């Protein structure tokens, strides 16, 4: 009587497109732009390439609001053998590794393609060439939603005579430019402010061209892939690491010392004693109960050093302060980059910035600019843990007696895993460790504001005498 | 250099367990209880069975906080051939049909099993018998996370001599009872308040037994499965309906008149004229472009009647008011059930209740009790569209001059698709049509409060004379 059925991941995220940010045409146009831009930036700055990104949005139908979005980057490109899966297989990604990147789910561009297929019939077009490749490859693709597989509508290759590398993506989606416009411009500008080594060109549907030029050639140190940290383990993760090991027949002591960060010989022995496991036991022969004991030991062992911050790449105090000054022309600006911390085995860094006065108009509530892994977050502000922390701060203690006040607050959280509230990547869940660091970072910046405001008061009362 | 890989849906939701409500052991214990209770209620009241639900949570390990959760219901049971998939295959469900139910994603109980496997090694146990079945079937299951398939650790069947029907689920998870306790009790009590035809027994880890007895035998009219509404279509949905059609070789006119609600002969012809499609054309032979034109025609045709409310099952004004009175002992209570509306082809009904004074203590902000498809929502209040509407209401206009005030507001949204912000089902996205109806429903209830408060004022000033 009840009808049982299963869904492919493509069917699931198409039916529930709001779970990946595609709730309506206005949001869809914004989400498409941000997913494409984030893929292009991951393909460049993580690999120490100065990003050149060209984005255009053109309206191509008069009856329906169908927009053609084209984005071109000079990134590392995508090998032709994986292009179909990268763009047309949901839950397929090169970012399932332990390293900070903007992407993390293997969903982003596929959600754009799914939405594209809902209201118009043109396939997505991808042109790409990897560094040093002799040929440039082109594909026209759709997603077979029932099977979660690519359908190749066309493919070709041409000689790469100019030694180009990068990716060009063209996709057609139902949108609403007039309602999305403001947030799309905000997204691009706020991205450029913290990515001043990137060159952006944007052609909008009204024909307006915006060029945000490269301001510096200095690039941040790229994040490195790291091994899992013991505090981040669970039984199923250990099973997966064992299944993926290249070395066969390894004993459990070798496994602990080589597949995880921060486990030396002495620590490995201690963990095995705690779990009652013989150090010579082959790791593929561990029983369910032994895996459970080992997981428990790793979670409870108190003396691991913190997870490595090599996997992270912060914005930096200098860049944040420059960005605040250039955006707002304030009378005061400060930025704080905290030391690395961790939650559930994932390292993270909180950065906070404050700008005050000058050209900032007084506002009822602080203007809050949230960032996560170098992505500007624009929707769902009130749901974000950052908003909770900013609104719970007692600004009186830092010299802001009343609101309205000319105050801008910027926050950046970077991590090997950002705990977003949903796969649309709009707001961050309130993880205790992150909330605590946000509070400490904001208070540290606010104390510098307090110092400035009290100095300013002294000067003003001195001047009056 | 970049490592490409794919994830099964089980791997994806295990890695990102916070996307399905499992962010930490405290939340996990709560989420496990609510996913199990919601499955038991869907298996009973949708099928006109008076629900008897027995829930127990016992702590079974002293070093780690492992809890054994057992739930038993007298519902329709699950056929033995699908039990393994129902509990151990992510994205498998009987609720992928167009009919109001608490479940909707095919994820809920699987998320419990995934989390269960992360920190302890016992499989989930399921015992079930469908109505009239001669045998009762038992399984011990785990999820093969890499393949997204069940692993059957054990199976058996016994004779069903007592003609029992229902389901018993036992699962072991890492939790934190002291931190979850309050919200778990709130969830159960708030569920019983709007489901007074259900009998709940709850044994908690401290040995306390709570019995919430059946208060009435009167059950709401169950929701019925309906056909898709034209306003809810898109190209891929039409393709899917065509692929699933039993009747082969149907022409497109038959297809429109029989596979959708609200399309008669005249309307079908109009749609085909708008799309330039011959009425005799076989539906499997429609081109991509014709499917696109047909979708556009259905979205733009202005004369469809509203989506059928047969698929819905509201709580009802009487039950809401009784619930408010029994929970709060107020001096005033009112409930409003609005007429059905629709968003994106999905019908929905908003219900609103207000309670004031009496035993309600004055509060700084109204106490807001949110419900969706008869589920109490407890987390993420500030992210919910309901909170936005309640806080934007000008309570002064309705006789509440200042806060603190003794005010409770209840809202219920029921629909064939609740637009949750995430698959953890904690808060509702701000869909314009729903926001508008919430506002209208609350204002309608608030006007009755205003009337009561002004009458009360008159009586009080009359008494003083
Ligand atoms: N412009 C690009 N240049 C190079 N590689 C790209 C580009 N766009 C996409 N890719 C590749 O395709 C993969 C899939 O992209 P997709 O956006 O679906 O997922 P993701 O970026 O890994 O994660 P998320 O869902 O969080 O965005 C990426 O992991 C990347 O390897
Ligand atoms: N107690 C139960 N009695 C009868 N059927 C059940 C019970 N528990 C689960 N099922 C069946 O197993 C299926 C899967 O349950 P699961 O909780 O994973 O998904 P769902 O309830 O369909 O959706 P959601 O993810 O929103 O909870 C259900 O659709 C239902 O058919
Ligand atoms: Mg991406
Ligand atoms: Mg369920």
């Amino acid at each position: 009587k009840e009808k049982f059925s299963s869904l492919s991941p493509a069917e699931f995220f198409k039916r529930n497109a709001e779970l990946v940010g595609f709730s309506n045409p206005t949001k869809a146009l914004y989400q498409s732009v941000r997913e494409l831009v984030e893929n292009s930036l991951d393909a460049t700055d993580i690999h120490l390439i100065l990003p050149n990104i060209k984005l255009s949005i053109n309206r191509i139908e008069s009856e329906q609001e169908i927009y053609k979005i084209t984005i071109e980057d000079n990134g590392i490109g995508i090998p032709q053998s994986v292009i179909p899966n990268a763009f047309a297989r949901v839950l397929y990604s090169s970012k399932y590794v332990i390293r900070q990147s903007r992407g993390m789910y293997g969903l982003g561009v596929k959600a754009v393609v799914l939405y594209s297929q809902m209201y118009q019939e043109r396939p997505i077009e991808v042109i790409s060439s990897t560094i040093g490749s002799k040929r440039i490859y082109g594909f026209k693709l759709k997603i077979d939603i029932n099977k979660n597989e690519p359908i190749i509508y066309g493919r070709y290759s041409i000689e790469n005579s100019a030694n180009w590398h990068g990716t060009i993506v063209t996709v057609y989606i139902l949108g609403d430019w007039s309602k999305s416009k403001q947030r799309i411009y905000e997204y691009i500008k706020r991205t450029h402010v913290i990515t001043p080594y990137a060159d952006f060109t944007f052609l909008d549907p009204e024909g307006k061209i915006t060029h945000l030029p490269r301001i510096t050639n200095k690039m941040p140190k790229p994040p490195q892939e790291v091994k899992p940290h013991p505090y981040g383990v669970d039984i199923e993760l250990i099973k997966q690491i064992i299944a993926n090991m290249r070395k066969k027949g390894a004993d459990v002591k070798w496994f602990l010392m080589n597949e995880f960060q921060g486990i030396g010989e002495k620590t490995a022995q201690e963990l095995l004693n705690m779990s009652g496991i013989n150090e010579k036991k082959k790791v593929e022969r561990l029983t369910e109960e032994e895996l459970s004991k080992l997981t428990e030991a790793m979670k409870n062992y108190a003396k691991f050093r913190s997870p490595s911050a090599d996997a992270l790449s912060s914005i930096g105090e200098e860049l944040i302060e420059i960005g605040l000054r250039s955006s707002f022309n304030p009378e005061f600006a400060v930025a704080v980059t905290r030391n690395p911390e961790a939650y559930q085995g994932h390292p993270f860094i909180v950065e906070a910035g404050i700008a005050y006065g000058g050209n900032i108009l007084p506002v009822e509530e602080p203007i809050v600019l949230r960032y996560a892994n170098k992505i500007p977050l624009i929707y769902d502000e009130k749901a974000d843990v950052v908003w909770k922390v900013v609104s719970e701060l007692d600004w009186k203690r830092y010299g802001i007696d009343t609101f309205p006040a000319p105050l801008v607050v910027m926050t950046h959280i970077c991590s090997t895993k950002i705990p977003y509230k949903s796969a649309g990547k709009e707001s961050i869940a309130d993880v205790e460790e992150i909330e605590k660091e946000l509070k400490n970072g904001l208070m540290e910046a606010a104390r510098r504001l307090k110092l400035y405001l009290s100095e300013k008061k002294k000067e003003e009362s001195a001047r009056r005498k």
Side-chain angles (χ1 to χ4, degrees), chain A residues 9 43 79 96 117 120 145 243 274 282 332 348 350 395 434 449:
Chain A
Y96 288 145
Q117 290 176 207
Q120 66 81 50
I145 294 185
M274 285 165 76
K282 297 274 171 271
F332 168 84
F348 70 89
V350 160
W395 290 98
I434 293 180
L449 171 69

Side-chain angles (χ1 to χ4, degrees), chain A residues 35-44 71-73 75-79 82-83 85-87 89-96 101-111 128 166-169 420 423 425:
Chain A
E35 294 293 356
L36 291 166
V37 168
E38 285 156 31
N39 282 350
S40 291
L41 286 171
D42 276 348
T44 45
I71 186 164
E72 175 179 344
D73 64 60
I76 55 165
I78 307 146
V82 298
I83 287 176
N85 280 339
F87 287 87
R89 183 178 160 93
V90 174
L91 303 185
Y92 189 87
S93 170
S94 63
K95 301 167 201 172
Y96 288 145
S101 54
R102 294 163 183 84
M104 63 185 282
Y105 292 127
L107 278 173
V109 79
K110 275 79 78 179
S128 194
T167 304
I168 306 171
V169 180
Y420 291 110
K425 296 191 203 119

Side-chain angles (χ1 to χ4, degrees), chain A residues 40-204:
Chain A
S40 291
L41 286 171
D42 276 348
T44 45
D45 72 3
I46 291 179
H47 306 279
L48 272 179
I49 296 171
L50 289 168
N52 294 331
I53 296 180
K54 299 192 185 76
L55 171 71
S56 70
I57 306 175
N58 302 305
R59 183 157 174 185
I60 60 138
E61 261 183 49
S62 53
E63 287 196 28
Q64 282 205 94
E65 271 195 70
I66 304 292
Y67 295 87
K68 173 184 176 186
I69 305 174
T70 301
I71 186 164
E72 175 179 344
D73 64 60
N74 59 335
I76 55 165
I78 307 146
Q80 65 101 2
S81 59
V82 298
I83 287 176
N85 280 339
F87 287 87
R89 183 178 160 93
V90 174
L91 303 185
Y92 189 87
S93 170
S94 63
K95 301 167 201 172
Y96 288 145
V97 296
I98 307 176
R99 172 194 65 182
Q100 174 184 326
S101 54
R102 294 163 183 84
M104 63 185 282
Y105 292 127
L107 278 173
V109 79
K110 275 79 78 179
V112 181
V113 179
L114 288 171
Y115 193 83
S116 163
Q117 290 176 207
M118 284 167 72
Y119 300 110
Q120 66 81 50
E121 71 283 7
R122 302 163 194 80
I124 185 172
E125 302 160 42
V126 181
I127 298 169
S128 194
S129 173
T130 52
I131 297 172
S133 168
K134 301 233 170 349
R135 302 196 67 79
I136 298 170
Y137 296 90
F139 285 84
K140 286 201 199 297
L141 301 164
K142 284 198 184 184
I143 300 176
D144 178 328
I145 294 185
N146 180 268
K147 297 202 183 103
N148 190 29
E149 282 175 7
I151 306 172
I152 300 177
Y153 276 63
R155 67 196 301 170
Y156 63 88
S157 71
I158 60 177
E159 195 189 345
N160 186 10
S161 37
N163 259 336
W164 174 72
H165 60 80
T167 304
I168 306 171
V169 180
T170 301
V171 65
Y172 300 81
I173 64 154
L174 185 73
D176 188 336
W177 170 249
S178 62
K179 289 192 188 148
S180 311
K181 175 177 175 176
Q182 180 179 343
R183 287 197 185 103
I184 290 176
Y185 271 105
E186 178 181 351
Y187 176 86
I188 294 170
K189 287 176 183 169
R190 281 184 51 195
T191 297
H192 186 252
V193 159
I194 57 153
T195 323
Y197 49 84
D199 181 300
F200 285 94
T201 310
F202 174 40
L203 167 65
D204 80 13

Side-chain angles (χ1 to χ4, degrees), chain A residues 2-4 12:
Chain A
E2 288 285 284
K3 301 177 194 162
F4 288 88
F12 177 79

Side-chain angles (χ1 to χ4, degrees), chain A residues 306-307 312 338-343 346-349 433 436-437:
Chain A
S306 297
L312 304 182
R338 301 279 295 175
N339 283 330
E341 294 289 340
Y343 81 96
H346 289 285
F348 70 89
I349 287 170
E433 295 87 334
K436 179 158 167 275
E437 262 307 284

